[in-house]
Amino acid sequence: MIDVNDLRKGVTFEYDGSLYKVLDYHHHKPGRGNATIRVKIVNLRSGTIVEQTFTSGVRVQDVRLDYHNVQYLYTDGDFFHFMDQDTYEQPALSKEIVGDSAPYLKEGLECKLTFYQGQALDIELPLTVDMEIVEADMAVRAIRRPG
């Protein structure tokens, strides 16, 4: 268990049976009374973002996450298939987990998967991805007229 005062951006914890990751953290100590900790958190299973306020002294369950370096193989429409570079296992992630990262996945791309209790929760792409531009609108130059 960890105290809510120890929550910081990027920390993952379990609260009310759900798994959350801290996106933003704000500690407020009024002149009198207990401090309040306001966090913006994302539910790692459903993807919903909520703001939660805790009073100082509340404890939440910390969790241990596993990270695996994987290589993207292919998609069959519903699932995205990867290969663990250490064990050669081939986990498959649903479209909901991959989310907005899907257009940036190309065969052979190395990325990182986050697992909790053997279940894949999140995908982390590399900082840069080489892509090919196949179509672009013509550039239009604005002409300024004196006057």
Side-chain angles (χ1 to χ4, degrees), residues 2 7 10-23 39-50 52 54 60-67 97 114-122:
I2 59 172
L7 294 179
V11 172
T12 304
F13 65 96
E14 192 171 358
Y15 181 70
D16 284 342
S18 296
L19 198 61
Y20 295 101
K21 182 176 182 179
V22 178
L23 299 176
V39 290
K40 182 188 263 188
I41 52 180
V42 60
N43 186 320
L44 291 177
R45 292 198 173 107
S46 68
T48 57
I49 297 175
V50 294
Q52 180 74 36
F54 297 103
V60 293
Q61 181 66 43
D62 58 336
V63 296
R64 179 175 169 83
L65 298 176
D66 296 320
Y67 300 95
I97 294 174
T114 304
F115 286 86
Y116 177 63
Q117 296 179 343
Q119 178 186 10
L121 296 175
D122 194 18

Side-chain angles (χ1 to χ4, degrees), residues 78-145:
D78 293 330
F79 291 95
F80 292 82
H81 298 269
F82 298 85
M83 180 181 65
D84 190 315
Q85 295 183 338
D86 295 328
T87 64
Y88 301 108
E89 292 179 4
Q90 294 188 4
L93 274 64
S94 67
K95 289 189 288 190
E96 291 78 24
I97 294 174
V98 174
D100 295 337
S101 301
Y104 302 105
L105 290 175
K106 68 178 190 174
E107 190 175 312
L109 180 71
E110 294 181 10
C111 47
K112 187 187 292 188
L113 295 182
T114 304
F115 286 86
Y116 177 63
Q117 296 179 343
Q119 178 186 10
L121 296 175
D122 194 18
I123 182 171
E124 183 180 324
L125 296 177
L127 293 176
T128 60
V129 178
D130 293 332
M131 304 295 285
E132 180 180 339
I133 299 172
V134 292
E135 183 179 334
D137 292 335
M138 289 285 290
V140 178
R141 181 175 171 197
I143 299 174
R144 237 183 232 186
R145 298 184 188 267

Side-chain angles (χ1 to χ4, degrees), residues 1-9 11 25 37 58-59:
M1 298 286 277
I2 59 172
D3 193 279
V4 291
N5 290 316
D6 297 330
L7 294 179
R8 296 291 181 263
K9 186 175 180 178
V11 172
Y25 171 88
I37 293 86
V58 173
R59 298 179 71 75

Side-chain angles (χ1 to χ4, degrees), residues 3-5 25-38 52-58:
D3 193 279
V4 291
N5 290 316
Y25 171 88
H26 180 72
H27 184 273
H28 178 69
K29 173 70 173 134
R32 300 177 122 189
N34 291 337
T36 58
I37 293 86
R38 186 165 191 81
Q52 180 74 36
T53 303
F54 297 103
T55 56
S56 184
V58 173

